[in-house]
Amino acid sequence: IIDIKNDEKKLVKFTEIESGLKYDIESQDEYFYIKTNKDNCTNWKLMRVLKEDLDINKWEEFIPYNENVFIRSYGAFKNYIIF
């Protein structure tokens, strides 16, 4: 991740590589929103983490896993998350 508002343009690693972990991130306000298969969520779930503390142990469920709902894609906007 590179913060384009910071003059240094320093590259920051989002998370360590973990076998089988897949994720897609979107940025909104103070959070990153993460569509992920973490915890064996085959249909994906949505999590979020504060931008200043990216530790995977700090990821919190935002839309819990539901085996009957497949999250194909999403978008994070100022006041909405669109699926």
Side-chain angles (χ1 to χ4, degrees):
I1 299 172
I2 297 176
D3 183 350
I4 59 174
K5 293 180 182 176
N6 185 327
D7 290 336
E8 291 181 32
K9 307 295 187 268
K10 181 180 174 189
L11 182 64
V12 175
K13 186 187 306 186
F14 186 73
T15 191
E16 296 295 325
I17 295 173
E18 187 177 309
S19 179
L21 178 66
K22 296 179 183 177
Y23 61 90
D24 176 46
I25 61 175
E26 292 259 351
S27 173
Q28 184 56 45
D29 297 326
E30 69 272 11
Y31 287 99
F32 284 114
Y33 290 85
I34 311 147
K35 181 185 94 169
T36 182
N37 68 342
K38 186 176 182 291
D39 305 321
N40 299 312
C41 294
T42 54
N43 285 345
W44 307 87
K45 66 180 173 181
L46 195 63
M47 303 186 81
R48 71 180 185 178
V49 66
L50 287 169
K51 290 179 180 178
E52 66 261 3
D53 190 359
L54 300 177
D55 185 317
I56 194 168
N57 296 311
K58 300 288 176 87
W59 294 12
E60 61 185 23
E61 281 196 346
F62 188 71
I63 304 292
Y65 178 68
N66 181 335
E67 66 182 28
N68 297 312
V69 176
F70 181 79
I71 299 175
R72 181 174 311 273
S73 62
Y74 74 106
F77 301 93
K78 183 159 181 65
N79 294 312
Y80 300 94
I81 298 234
I82 307 290
F83 293 92

